[in-house]
Amino acid sequence: MQAATAGSAAPAHRTASAPPAPGSGGKRLAGVVTMFGSGLSNQTGAAIGSLAFPVLGPVGVVAARQYVAAIVLLTVGRPRLRSFTWRQWWPVLLLALVFGTMNLSLYSAIDRIGLGLAVTLEFLGPLGIALAASRRRADACCAVIAAAGVVTLLRPQPSADYVGMGLGLLAAVCWASYILLNRTVGRRIAGVEGSAAAAGLSALMFLPVGLVVVQHPPSAGAAVCAVAAGILSSAVPYLADLFALRHVPAQTFGLFMSVNPVLAAVVGWIVLGQNLGWIEWAGMATVVWANAISILIRRT
């Protein structure tokens, strides 16, 4: 988010945008390049952050990421907290809880099952939202295809880490909840004020972790990796996606999000040396294809 997730976490601002005006091919290309850079930055940040796991653990790295996300969103959103009513506050509070849980479960899953598989499982969240909102037979077929990919990834075997897989699925549920809550917050609070407030509250949830880290300072390398994860997986994707959504149709943006599990697998292989077998690649590709086909069908 994505300010959220590796998957990221989809940032709070990922909403539909109007199609670019005719003749804006150059801007659309710039938007596509920006989307690729955003996805690459997001997954690279997660990979670099995982290098600090032996020292800080997933909780410490997520805390650093939440702090960076809060700084970025609060600076851009500048929420007027005193003007919020209870009707506006309760979805913001839930969003803050889901935001923190989503990133913590994802990074814990990355620690156990690797970047590629964790991001693929998390990706089931937005895919499930998209498919559940449709009543077309083609989308039902896409859901079956995605389910087949998940079964492939979760197949029973002696070395399977079911806790890690469960954490990845928890991240998917949180991402789906994150999307739905963001819609509610967006309807009740103007701009990104609600999302910014949620990011700030989520960072406060991890304040005890920060206090413990301050009392027992980590190595400089671990601290740099954790902060880099926050910048690359929160700040850069947030600003990049703001630009991209202004220059490409929302459908194109959604379609391009499909490459994130593949980017995660490639980055995990290059940066972390996490190799996937052909069965894992097949399951991941099936989930990605299901999403891509669903979006392309809706465009026709």
Side-chain angles (χ1 to χ4, degrees), residues 35-284:
M35 286 189 294
F36 180 82
S38 172
L40 186 60
S41 174
N42 195 5
Q43 306 310 331
T44 301
I48 292 176
S50 69
L51 296 176
F53 285 172
V55 177
L56 293 173
V59 177
V61 175
V62 170
R65 177 173 175 174
Q66 298 302 101
Y67 300 152
V68 172
I71 292 171
V72 173
L73 283 169
L74 288 172
T75 300
V76 175
R78 297 181 181 180
R80 294 162 291 181
L81 302 180
R82 293 183 179 180
S83 66
F84 288 8
T85 65
W86 173 244
R87 183 172 178 272
Q88 295 171 319
W89 264 119
W90 75 257
V92 169
L93 293 172
L94 287 178
L95 183 60
L97 178 62
V98 167
F99 189 19
T101 305
M102 175 177 65
N103 284 331
L104 181 56
S105 56
L106 174 64
Y107 274 57
S108 298
I110 291 172
D111 187 34
R112 300 182 69 99
I113 62 176
L115 183 60
L117 294 183
V119 171
T120 301
L121 292 175
E122 186 202 30
F123 189 71
L124 295 174
L127 175 57
I129 290 292
L131 295 177
S134 175
R135 297 294 182 269
R136 299 176 61 173
R137 292 182 179 178
D139 285 317
C141 292
C142 291
V144 172
I145 294 173
V150 174
V151 170
T152 301
L153 292 173
L154 302 183
R155 70 195 187 285
Q157 52 182 325
S159 60
D161 189 329
Y162 294 108
V163 173
M165 293 177 181
L167 288 167
L169 293 175
L170 175 59
V173 173
C174 288
W175 196 359
S177 303
Y178 183 82
I179 293 171
L180 297 176
L181 285 169
N182 257 314
R183 291 176 181 174
T184 302
V185 170
R187 287 193 295 264
R188 298 183 183 183
I189 304 175
V192 295
E193 288 188 46
S195 298
L201 290 172
S202 183
L204 286 178
M205 290 169 48
F206 287 86
L207 185 58
V209 179
L211 294 176
V212 171
V213 171
V214 170
Q215 293 176 359
H216 304 84
S219 64
V224 169
C225 287
V227 173
I231 295 173
L232 294 175
S233 295
S234 294
V236 172
Y238 176 81
L239 297 175
D241 292 349
L242 270 180
F243 174 84
L245 281 167
R246 293 175 181 173
H247 297 95
V248 298
Q251 296 94 333
T252 303
F253 186 91
L255 182 62
F256 199 87
M257 282 183 64
S258 300
V259 306
N260 272 284
V262 177
L263 284 175
V266 173
V267 170
W269 171 55
I270 295 176
V271 178
L272 304 175
Q274 296 174 346
N275 296 317
L276 297 177
W278 70 267
I279 295 180
E280 285 79 11
W281 276 108
M284 184 183 306

